[in-house]
Amino acid sequence: MDAQRSTSRPLSEVLPPLILGTATFNHQYHPDPSRMPYADIVRRALDHNIAAFDTSPYYGPSEILLGEALRRIEPAPARDSYFLITKAGRIAGDEFDYSPAWVRYSIFRSLERLGTDHLDLVYMHDVEFVSAAEVLGAVTELRRLRDEGVIRYVGISGYPVETLAFLSERILQETSEPIDAVLSYGQFCLQNAVLGRAELLDRFASAGVDCILNASMLGMGLLTSQGINSLPMGAWHPAPLELREACHGLAAIAATENRHLEEVAIRWSLRNWIYQGSRFGTKCYNSNTCGKFPARIGASVMGVSTVDQLEETWELWQSVINEQGQDTTNSLVENRMWPSLGRWKDFAWVSGGPSFTNTRKVLGVVPDDDIAKRCGLSTSQVVGDAKL
């Protein structure tokens, strides 16, 4: 992988094709994330040249643990040998602050937590929960930070794909500059493949989006052999009961082929997004190994909680890119699993929208600390008890 990072180059020329997502370094996925093998996961990812990491301040201690893991690796990897991605704007489940002051503060706090002087890509986190005007203001601030050399590429993330397309169009219309990246999660997985629809991808193309990254290939735990109800994230997962049951039923179908649902789901998403996401993919991969693929291949974000899960996903990725002969996964999914899902195929739960109320009533104030001083915020924006 070419490790040189420069905003004079499109994101698609420097973005790794497989990214380690660290939302799992969080209490929603583990009762005590500090006891996870997070350092071993990060070290092993770099051993496999999975040289990109996705995190967020919203993911509990994820940024802190990722930064600690990177600092513990010996010999220390060169900063330009890996790609760091984080987010800003989402503080809690029902609390958002997209103000320029908070965005700036959040970015400088992320720099400190991650032990770096720059971030390669920053998304505004879960844009469906705030107004289009707030998104535009936040993206403008990210671009100021980009021009200052603090970050390199700017993106948006969220769940409703229509909202992501609309905001991508709006950003281009209002600023005359397209967004670099869109992160979509749970919308190109075995249960819901809406992100792959041609008419939607055409809208992103018209909006000038360079890269679309696909995350949550297991539907945030829906597509697991145990079923979402038995996992830590089951308590907060937004899927209705009937969808949970329909997805859990897919495990028995996979078992008739002596396969695990997780393997089928990850393989299906990785393999198909390589092609369907190719217009918004990366050129930064070994073209000799993947010579049969398009000039660009769709980039995916993988989330794991153990080293074994990392190894299994890495082996699936290697199997996909070095595929020989006929893969029966698509046939299994299309002929047996999708009919089994019935009306729950391509179902998306409500996220954000007019019914959502942001509990953060005062925007644009930050803690009175060293981070606020370093990022140059005025004293009128600093308060002693601002919530982190």
Side-chain angles (χ1 to χ4, degrees):
M1 185 185 74
D2 184 352
Q4 298 302 311
R5 314 297 186 198
S6 170
T7 51
S8 64
R9 302 172 66 186
L11 177 60
S12 54
E13 293 185 4
V14 299
L15 180 71
L18 188 61
I19 295 151
L20 180 68
T22 64
T24 50
F25 295 6
N26 188 358
H27 294 92
Q28 290 177 322
Y29 288 83
H30 194 282
D32 184 358
S34 69
R35 294 182 177 275
M36 287 180 60
Y38 59 90
D40 293 333
I41 290 170
V42 171
R43 184 182 299 109
R44 193 61 181 146
L46 288 172
D47 288 343
H48 287 312
N49 200 30
I50 302 172
F53 303 94
D54 177 287
T55 184
S56 171
Y58 173 59
Y59 302 154
S62 173
E63 283 189 326
I64 295 169
L65 296 179
L66 175 58
E68 181 183 326
L70 290 167
R71 284 188 286 268
R72 283 168 57 180
I73 294 173
E74 295 182 359
R79 176 61 184 88
D80 64 359
S81 69
Y82 59 89
F83 199 90
L84 273 182
I85 306 169
T86 194
K87 307 174 184 72
R90 185 162 197 173
I91 297 168
D94 58 357
E95 189 175 1
F96 293 77
D97 193 337
Y98 272 47
S99 66
W102 183 262
V103 169
R104 178 170 288 266
Y105 177 86
S106 181
I107 295 306
F108 275 79
R109 184 182 60 183
S110 294
L111 292 173
E112 180 174 284
R113 289 174 170 179
L114 293 165
T116 184
D117 62 357
H118 70 276
L119 297 162
D120 295 295
L121 169 61
V122 176
Y123 303 109
M124 291 313 303
H125 200 169
D126 290 344
V127 289
E128 68 266 29
F129 290 93
V130 300
S131 68
E134 288 174 285
V135 174
L136 286 166
V139 166
T140 298
E141 183 64 19
L142 288 182
R143 287 173 173 168
R144 289 193 190 101
L145 289 162
R146 177 197 63 189
D147 294 344
E148 295 169 20
V150 176
I151 66 179
R152 297 191 171 182
Y153 300 95
V154 173
I156 58 174
S157 76
Y159 181 67
V161 287
E162 286 287 334
T163 302
L164 293 172
F166 165 76
L167 288 170
S168 297
E169 294 164 339
R170 185 75 178 272
I171 290 166
L172 177 61
Q173 177 186 356
E174 296 291 334
T175 71
S176 300
E177 181 182 352
I179 203 79
D180 295 309
V182 169
L183 174 67
S184 172
Y185 71 92
Q187 301 270 20
F188 194 82
C189 64
L190 192 154
Q191 177 265 325
N192 178 356
V194 169
L195 182 63
R197 291 180 178 172
E199 62 272 19
L200 183 68
L201 295 177
D202 287 344
R203 291 180 62 188
F204 284 116
S206 296
V209 174
D210 189 20
C211 293
I212 300 176
L213 296 89
N214 180 48
S216 197
M217 293 179 280
L218 296 179
M220 298 191 299
L222 274 178
L223 301 168
T224 56
S225 300
Q226 292 176 288
I228 187 66
N229 293 336
S230 66
L231 300 176
M233 69 283 286
W236 57 262
H237 200 291
L241 177 61
E242 294 87 349
L243 175 57
R244 294 173 180 228
E245 292 174 345
C247 288
H248 186 42
L250 301 177
I253 296 175
T256 65
E257 303 273 340
N258 295 316
R259 299 174 70 174
H260 291 104
L261 178 56
E262 293 89 338
E263 178 266 325
V264 174
I266 293 172
R267 183 184 295 276
W268 184 90
S269 290
L270 285 174
R271 185 175 185 271
N272 287 284
W273 189 244
I274 280 175
Y275 296 99
Q276 289 184 254
S278 61
R279 277 196 288 175
F280 307 94
T282 175
K283 300 177 182 178
C284 188
Y285 66 95
N286 187 335
S287 58
N288 293 326
T289 302
C290 308
K292 60 182 177 296
F293 293 130
R296 296 171 64 170
I297 63 172
S300 296
V301 182
M302 54 178 276
V304 302
S305 299
T306 67
V307 174
D308 285 346
Q309 290 175 0
L310 172 68
E311 297 293 348
E312 289 164 5
T313 305
W314 171 248
E315 288 173 7
L316 281 172
W317 173 253
Q318 290 296 298
S319 174
V320 166
I321 64 173
N322 295 303
E323 188 175 280
Q324 302 290 330
Q326 183 67 32
D327 187 345
T328 61
T329 300
N330 279 13
S331 176
L332 173 63
V333 169
E334 294 169 13
N335 296 329
R336 299 187 60 193
M337 291 188 170
W338 285 351
S340 175
L341 285 172
R343 68 187 183 94
W344 297 106
K345 172 71 173 71
D346 292 340
F347 173 86
W349 49 82
V350 174
S351 182
S355 64
F356 174 76
T357 300
N358 186 3
T359 62
R360 193 171 182 87
K361 301 306 180 185
V362 179
L363 306 179
V365 295
V366 303
D368 183 7
D369 59 16
D370 290 342
I371 296 171
K373 295 180 178 65
R374 281 198 296 276
C375 61
L377 293 171
S378 68
T379 55
S380 64
Q381 296 166 313
V382 176
V383 296
D385 60 351
K387 182 177 177 182
L388 286 175

